[in-house]
Amino acid sequence: MKKHVPTFTISSLAQATHRALRVPKTAITTAIIAASLASAPAFANLNGSIKGKVKTEQANQSLAGITVTARSNVMPKARTVTTKEDGSYDLPQLKPGTYELTFEDSSGVTQTITVDVLLEQTSSANVVLGGKKDNVEVITVTGSKLFRQGKSALTNSLGEEGINNVPVGQDYRDLLKLVPGIELSANSTLGPSAGGSGVDNSYGFDGVNVSLPMYGNLASEPSTHDVAFVTMDRGGAKAVGFNRSGGFSIDTVSKSGTDEFHGNIEYKIQPKTFVATPVGEESFELDKNWLTASLSGPLIEDTLYFYTSYYRPEETKANKNTAYGEVKDYESIRDEYFAKLTWAPTDDILINISQRTSDKEVKGDSIAAYEMDTVSVGSKADQDIFTLDGSWILGSATTLSFQYSKFELETGSQPDTPLSVVPSLSSQLDINNLAQMGYFSVPSLRDYDPDEGFSEAQIAAYNAGATALINTYGYLEDGVMKGSGGVGAFATYDNQNFYRDSFEVSLEHELSWGDAYHTLHFGAKWEEGEEQLTRLSNGWGSIAYIGGLVDADANTDGFDPANAIYRARVQQMSLATADGAPVTGINSETRSLNFEINDTIEVGDWTYNLGLLVSQDTWYGQGLKAKSGTISGYEVAPGHKYQMYQTDWKDMLQPRLGATWTYSDEDSVFANFAIYNPEASSLSRAASWDRNTRAEIELLLDEAGNILSSSPRNGSSGKVFQDDMKPRRINEFTIGTTKYVGSDLVLRAHVRHRKGMHFWEDMPNNARLTDYSTVDAEGVPQHIADKGLYVANLADIRDEIGGSSYVIAEVDGGETKYWEASLEAEYMGENSYVNASYVWSHYYGNFDQDNTTTSNDANNFIGSSYYGDGRGRYSWDNRYGTLSGDKPHLLKVYGYYTLPWQANLGAYFVFQSGKAWEAWDGTTYGYPTSHISRYAESAGSRRTASHWQLDLNYTQDFTFSGDMELQFRADLFNVFNRQTGYNKNPYVLDEKFGESRSYYNPRSLQLSVNFKF
């Protein structure tokens, strides 16, 4: 244990911090000023550290003042410290990499050892210093090279070698398969469950939060080609790093320049013939390839390094001809550029600045068998990630660090055929050129059916008009023109942009107080996330022929329904308002303030962690303005931002308490308690008042294209919040033990329990009073019914400003529970690495955020789903049971072995239980069909088949002409082609009930060649 007296006092700490915040024209000052203008979440400290003790062979030799120097090719300047009275030393804020530590005493005796520093980890390096100058080769290392001290009790870290030598993949999402105890997921959007919802995980990329604001899922664009280190925290978090994750937290740091010039060019391919036929398809159709290049080196020797890279993944597919003829091929191309500078202006200051820009464009997507080529849709995704971080060592015991980051992801689907026509309520639809007006659904002829409510004469008139349109816009089949196809252009531009700015600052100070040694951490973070949504029509949007057959609920005031020949559905944002101004998009914002304090106390063989994270979240909607003297406190103001809801500080106190007993060398037992308040929420948009003023407008038009009526289609309205709700919370208990077997093998076992509570959802205001008298279901528990309405005066509020009959409320009795027992082994030999883990777990309760809609692998609303929407969807309606993320058994083994002939063999194996599911049937609750998310039996009553798969890779290196190297690699995923089915069809009344709708990815082979220099 370390016990020493720092040379830097509390008063000098305050003075140095004050100077740091007031010195003009420094990088730190600039960052703080910038952060005062923009803010949002980040994962600050992107470095690691080394701690240890020095002993000597001479019993009477002083342990104080021994010089310890750390050198690495990733650090522009060396770091030097001196040992304290007990021989302990601390080297903080080191960039992850391999370090050479040199120890030298006053007589000139030196020893040198090599230590690996991982991301956000503290490595241990204890040495015995010899007594003679000529004894420099005698080295005694008493610490394990696997020793880890991170920001949580359950931490795993990997460096570049471990990441590259295991069959992982190209996308950031592929890194998640390396987290011990976390399921292998085939999802493309929703994150894997880790004792909580998949939307409550935290994803860091170079310290920047890359989860989508409002949705919590990982942004689709990050890749792994620049990842140098990854760290994974599953539980037992400290109040360090602002961890509010209800699942797991993962962070990465990118590669940096070194003191030598290096570069590479890699080309990887996966033609469609290298992929097995997916279940339910005739063959795999996509050809894929990836081009990667990088260059790095010093700009100023020992001061400034650079790293830059280029990445270009491509996907192509030959689309099949449709009934209308040939169509364009599918194409997806992405260009990503990355540049990073590492600057050490002095020995004690280290600054990183980086910019990542990615532009992706897709063409020729979504062309159905009976559509014209021109109706195809494409998409775009432009991503920018900027980060500026730095650390300043203020004396021997104090460190100041900061990070400013900016995340932008601008996405949108867009027609491949843009139309020039602009819709207006005062203009006329050109019925003679329907294929140039929007997306026109070609009609088909109808048979007379008296049950439809239309007369034979009406059907005859309809068919007369339809025949003319079919002859003009239909397709030819067996010499006959047919209808039911689609012509024109894709109907909608759907733009969804996400922004996140962030700034955080932290201060760490070490001091001795009596027999205890304290490491104090203070941190503050200000975060802001935003979504900007605009939906515009391409021309007149979606156009259909109705031939006078008007729906019963259509707006036909003032005209004969028989005159309504066409219907167009136009996005309101494409239409001008009465004063000529366009309707703006919907902007939704969330802001959060977070403060943390943590004290790590070392006393003898015991280490105690006492920490507290306190937060305040604020949601901002659009469409209201504060007004005194009103019942609601607001007045309707379209386009105006308003504060929707704010949590109290006292409701978001998140203590982090832990104790570790190191009973022998590095072997220990530990116990932790933590509370987390997850931050992902969609309510800023889902409950926004402007949702009902940015609707889709339905137009009915006569045979000449003149507008007869216009009315908004039914959509969601703004929602009032229940008073005094408690924020969503996760309570966690962890106990475990760690055993180091030599320097090569570490064993860890733990038991963990999590309980989730205080879930928020949109609910009918009278949900607790729902009538079950006409159905065969138990109904509302009496203790819940006694509570009455969620918002007592909602009727008065709606009379004043409108809004929905639904409110945002705390789910009555909503809870989740999770138990986990884990065994893990990590081995690191001279030429090999293995990580093996087995986890038994049970995840159950009555609130399943990951199972709220038909397609759960999507960016679904958090806090506004089908859950709670009427009978069959309440917490008391068969909801209590096994949740969909439950995986009782999970075995994961991965690693690599470096072969003697400059080659590497990597492997990844996983076995996991199947996915829990249940039958859905609305008839149980008085509805005529199965209905979405109405449980006919207890949650998780059924389970899909278990899944296992093996991935392999082989890499062969050829070295020539000095440092030049040619590398060939093959990655084979899912070797035995185990395409296990999951995502069962839950609808009892559907003929495909119980059939799998999704399957694990088929076997695929990727080949690459990489030239390095």
Side-chain angles (χ1 to χ4, degrees):
M1 291 295 101
K2 180 174 56 177
K3 300 175 185 175
H4 58 74
V5 179
T7 59
F8 202 77
T9 64
I10 292 292
S11 60
S12 58
L13 161 65
Q15 293 170 4
T17 305
H18 180 67
R19 288 195 303 271
L21 298 179
R22 65 187 293 269
V23 174
K25 300 181 181 179
T26 67
I28 295 175
T29 305
T30 302
I32 293 175
I33 293 173
S36 67
L37 304 176
S39 55
F43 302 68
N45 190 355
L46 299 180
N47 298 317
S49 61
I50 302 174
K51 290 185 178 182
K53 266 190 176 183
V54 179
K55 297 181 181 179
T56 65
E57 294 178 349
Q58 298 179 2
N60 297 325
Q61 184 174 345
S62 173
L63 297 176
I66 297 173
T67 302
V68 186
T69 303
R71 294 182 176 86
S72 174
N73 62 349
V74 299
M75 287 284 287
K77 295 185 184 297
R79 285 275 170 84
T80 300
V81 297
T82 57
T83 58
K84 305 306 183 280
E85 293 179 355
D86 64 346
S88 63
Y89 68 94
D90 184 0
L91 284 159
Q93 298 296 327
L94 301 175
K95 289 184 65 63
T98 300
Y99 283 78
E100 180 184 85
L101 294 189
T102 301
F103 301 83
E104 183 175 3
D105 66 11
S106 57
S107 63
V109 175
T110 63
Q111 301 285 15
T112 301
I113 67 172
T114 300
V115 180
D116 289 330
V117 174
L118 297 177
L119 175 61
E120 297 179 359
Q121 303 294 301
T122 298
S123 300
S124 175
N126 302 325
V127 300
V128 176
L129 194 61
K132 299 179 181 179
K133 281 190 175 183
D134 58 357
N135 194 25
V136 296
E137 297 300 325
V138 178
I139 304 172
T140 303
V141 181
T142 59
S144 168
K145 60 187 176 184
L146 284 169
F147 182 81
R148 309 274 168 77
Q149 283 185 342
K151 294 189 297 186
S152 74
L154 305 180
T155 296
N156 294 84
S157 297
L158 279 177
E160 183 178 351
E161 185 178 16
I163 298 170
N164 291 341
N165 290 343
V166 175
V168 175
Q170 290 71 238
D171 296 327
Y172 183 109
R173 187 175 300 275
D174 296 323
L175 290 174
L176 306 185
K177 66 192 288 187
L178 300 178
V179 186
I182 305 303
E183 66 172 311
L184 174 67
S185 174
N187 287 343
S188 59
T189 301
L190 179 64
S193 175
S197 170
V199 299
D200 285 331
N201 302 322
S202 296
Y203 308 102
F205 194 86
D206 251 353
V208 181
N209 187 345
V210 290
S211 60
L212 291 182
M214 318 293 164
Y215 299 96
N217 290 313
L218 174 65
S220 60
E221 295 303 312
S223 56
T224 61
H225 67 284
D226 286 328
V227 173
F229 293 88
V230 59
T231 183
M232 302 157 278
D233 294 320
R234 288 176 287 154
K238 298 179 180 180
V240 178
F242 307 98
N243 186 352
R244 293 172 54 183
S245 170
F248 65 87
S249 175
I250 183 171
D251 196 7
T252 65
V253 67
S254 62
K255 299 174 183 176
S256 301
T258 66
D259 52 13
E260 296 180 351
F261 286 99
H262 292 285
N264 86 296
I265 301 175
E266 181 183 29
Y267 185 67
K268 181 178 293 188
I269 61 169
Q270 181 188 287
K272 58 187 177 183
T273 54
F274 282 14
V275 181
T277 300
V279 173
E281 300 181 22
E282 296 179 1
S283 62
F284 188 80
E285 299 296 334
L286 281 176
D287 290 305
K288 299 182 180 182
N289 64 78
W290 301 264
L291 175 65
T292 307
S294 70
L295 181 65
S296 64
L299 291 175
I300 302 175
E301 186 177 359
D302 296 332
T303 302
L304 181 63
Y305 297 162
F306 78 94
Y307 175 88
T308 184
S309 70
Y310 172 70
Y311 178 58
R312 182 182 174 93
E314 296 185 12
E315 297 180 0
T316 57
K317 179 178 68 173
N319 283 326
K320 297 179 181 179
N321 292 346
T322 72
Y324 283 90
E326 294 185 359
V327 296
K328 64 178 67 66
D329 291 337
Y330 169 86
E331 181 183 70
S332 172
I333 297 178
R334 175 175 156 209
D335 293 297
E336 180 176 308
Y337 306 88
F338 177 63
K340 180 178 182 180
L341 295 175
T342 301
W343 181 36
T346 70
D347 291 348
D348 297 326
I349 296 178
L350 181 64
I351 296 173
N352 296 289
I353 183 171
S354 68
Q355 173 70 45
R356 185 178 301 275
T357 298
S358 172
D359 301 314
K360 178 181 179 180
E361 186 172 7
V362 176
K363 295 181 179 180
D365 198 6
S366 185
I367 308 176
Y370 296 96
E371 290 182 327
M372 187 176 290
D373 171 62
T374 55
V375 307
S376 68
V377 62
S379 64
K380 61 181 180 65
D382 298 332
Q383 179 176 263
D384 289 281
I385 299 174
F386 171 82
T387 181
L388 170 65
D389 66 86
S391 62
W392 186 2
I393 300 177
L394 306 172
S396 62
T398 308
T399 303
L400 177 69
S401 61
F402 75 94
Q403 184 183 56
Y404 169 73
S405 65
K406 190 174 186 66
F407 168 80
E408 297 180 353
L409 178 61
E410 299 180 344
T411 69
S413 61
Q414 55 187 14
D416 287 334
T417 306
L419 302 174
S420 59
V421 61
V422 178
S424 170
L425 296 181
S426 61
S427 62
Q428 185 182 50
L429 175 69
D430 185 357
I431 62 168
N432 295 317
N433 295 286
L434 289 174
Q436 285 77 47
M437 294 295 102
Y439 181 95
F440 179 58
S441 298
V442 184
S444 59
L445 302 181
R446 299 179 62 154
D447 295 328
Y448 170 67
D449 184 351
D451 293 335
E452 291 183 339
F454 301 114
S455 67
E456 290 188 66
Q458 286 178 302
I459 297 300
Y462 172 91
N463 285 337
T467 299
L469 293 170
I470 292 171
N471 290 335
T472 303
Y473 299 108
Y475 60 89
L476 188 64
E477 184 178 276
D478 298 329
V480 179
M481 295 298 292
K482 297 289 185 70
S484 300
V487 299
F490 190 75
T492 309
Y493 292 87
D494 194 347
N495 299 315
Q496 200 170 10
N497 301 331
F498 300 93
Y499 305 95
R500 178 181 279 115
D501 297 307
S502 71
F503 179 74
E504 64 179 86
V505 61
S506 64
L507 189 69
E508 291 196 354
H509 182 65
E510 300 180 4
L511 60 92
S512 290
W513 190 355
D515 294 332
Y517 187 84
H518 298 258
T519 301
L520 294 171
H521 168 88
F522 305 89
K525 180 175 76 171
W526 185 22
E527 64 183 29
E528 179 181 82
E530 181 180 4
E531 179 201 43
Q532 295 180 358
L533 175 68
T534 58
R535 288 199 176 107
L536 305 173
S537 291
N538 190 22
W540 287 81
S542 176
I543 306 169
Y545 169 78
I546 58 175
L549 307 184
V550 179
D551 294 336
D553 59 350
N555 178 16
T556 58
D557 293 342
F559 66 92
D560 185 350
N563 293 330
I565 307 302
Y566 296 96
R567 181 189 65 219
R569 289 174 176 166
V570 184
Q571 294 296 325
Q572 189 172 359
M573 296 180 193
S574 294
L575 300 171
T577 59
D579 59 2
V583 176
T584 60
I586 299 177
N587 294 343
S588 310
E589 295 182 25
T590 59
R591 292 181 183 175
S592 179
L593 285 172
N594 301 269
F595 298 96
E596 63 185 10
I597 180 172
N598 199 89
D599 186 8
T600 302
I601 308 167
E602 300 176 25
V603 183
D605 295 333
W606 288 85
T607 301
Y608 303 95
N609 184 75
L610 305 176
L612 178 66
L613 169 63
V614 57
S615 307
Q616 183 186 70
D617 293 340
T618 307
W619 291 267
Y620 295 92
Q622 184 175 279
L624 295 178
K625 181 186 294 184
K627 183 179 181 181
S628 61
T630 59
I631 297 172
S632 63
Y634 295 102
E635 64 178 342
V636 176
H640 189 275
K641 185 174 81 171
Y642 69 99
Q643 181 174 306
M644 182 181 286
Y645 196 84
Q646 185 176 74
T647 61
D648 292 330
W649 293 101
K650 63 181 177 61
D651 292 332
M652 300 188 76
L653 300 176
Q654 301 157 76
R656 307 294 164 83
L657 309 174
T660 301
W661 175 37
T662 306
Y663 59 88
S664 175
D665 294 328
E666 294 156 349
D667 304 330
S668 63
V669 293
F670 57 87
N672 289 85
F673 171 72
I675 291 179
Y676 308 86
N677 290 125
E679 53 197 321
S681 172
S682 305
L683 295 180
S684 291
R685 175 175 155 207
S688 180
W689 228 257
D690 265 352
R691 287 192 69 194
N692 60 336
T693 61
R694 271 82 177 142
E696 186 177 57
I697 304 299
E698 182 171 280
L699 306 176
L700 296 181
L701 308 101
D702 64 17
E703 61 182 355
N706 298 308
I707 297 175
L708 299 173
S709 70
S710 65
S711 56
R713 299 191 69 202
N714 290 334
S716 183
S717 300
K719 299 180 179 70
V720 173
F721 282 64
Q722 179 186 11
D723 288 336
D724 300 323
M725 292 189 295
K726 299 293 185 182
R728 185 161 40 121
R729 190 175 82 192
I730 307 292
N731 291 352
E732 177 190 71
F733 298 89
T734 307
I735 58 173
T737 180
T738 302
K739 174 69 175 178
Y740 288 85
V741 184
S743 63
D744 298 332
L745 176 65
V746 60
L747 306 176
R748 181 165 62 188
H750 75 265
V751 175
R752 184 162 62 111
H753 174 61
R754 278 187 164 181
K755 182 177 181 180
M757 63 200 79
H758 305 307
F759 296 96
W760 296 2
E761 260 294 332
D762 61 343
M763 313 271 283
N765 192 42
N766 61 353
R768 296 162 171 165
L769 306 177
T770 302
D771 182 12
Y772 280 73
S773 62
T774 60
V775 300
D776 186 19
E778 292 185 6
V780 187
Q782 190 59 47
H783 71 282
I784 294 178
D786 291 343
K787 297 179 181 179
L789 300 175
Y790 292 111
V791 180
N793 64 340
L794 181 65
D796 296 331
I797 293 175
R798 296 183 70 198
D799 288 342
E800 182 179 82
I801 58 174
S804 175
S805 61
Y806 280 54
V807 298
I808 305 301
E810 190 174 328
V811 175
D812 293 298
E815 66 176 15
T816 63
K817 297 179 181 179
Y818 177 74
W819 284 98
E820 172 185 274
S822 172
L823 296 173
E824 182 182 346
E826 190 174 15
Y827 172 80
M828 182 177 289
E830 290 297 324
N831 301 306
S832 59
Y833 173 82
V834 178
N835 185 298
S837 61
Y838 168 76
V839 173
W840 171 90
S841 64
H842 186 31
Y843 183 41
Y844 59 105
N846 61 6
F847 190 92
D848 197 346
Q849 182 70 62
D850 298 337
N851 191 28
T852 59
T853 188
T854 303
S855 175
N856 293 298
D857 185 20
N859 287 317
N860 296 321
F861 279 154
I862 305 169
S864 182
S865 67
Y866 284 112
Y867 189 100
D869 289 2
R871 290 193 304 263
R873 294 171 175 168
Y874 295 126
S875 59
W876 51 82
D877 289 326
N878 276 325
R879 290 284 165 169
Y880 199 90
T882 302
L883 304 184
S884 61
D886 181 64
K887 290 287 187 294
H889 302 285
L890 176 58
L891 173 66
K892 186 181 293 187
V893 182
Y894 61 85
Y896 62 88
Y897 180 72
T898 303
L899 300 165
W901 52 88
Q902 287 189 297
N904 180 84
L905 179 64
Y908 175 91
F909 173 81
V910 65
F911 170 88
Q912 60 191 30
S913 300
K915 188 177 185 67
W917 67 288
E918 65 289 315
W920 295 357
D921 186 4
T923 62
T924 303
Y925 303 96
Y927 297 93
T929 62
S930 286
H931 269 241
I932 298 173
S933 196
R934 286 193 161 96
Y935 289 11
E937 58 190 2
S938 297
S941 296
R942 307 162 189 252
R943 191 178 295 277
T944 65
S946 58
H947 173 73
W948 64 268
Q949 75 176 59
L950 175 67
D951 303 339
L952 297 173
N953 71 346
Y954 179 82
T955 306
Q956 182 65 60
D957 296 334
F958 296 95
T959 303
F960 61 95
S961 185
D963 293 334
M964 294 186 181
E965 181 180 308
L966 194 61
Q967 183 181 83
F968 295 92
R969 174 169 175 152
D971 290 90
L972 184 60
F973 300 98
N974 200 355
V975 174
F976 296 99
N977 198 27
R978 301 282 301 179
Q979 297 186 53
T980 309
Y982 64 99
N983 187 22
K984 296 290 187 178
N985 182 333
Y987 298 104
V988 171
L989 300 183
D990 195 300
E991 63 180 7
K992 294 185 178 181
F993 170 71
E995 294 185 11
S996 297
R997 297 175 296 180
S998 302
Y999 299 86
Y1000 283 87
N1001 296 326
R1003 178 177 55 235
S1004 61
L1005 174 65
Q1006 296 176 1
L1007 300 179
S1008 67
V1009 58
N1010 189 6
F1011 174 66
K1012 299 180 179 181
F1013 58 92

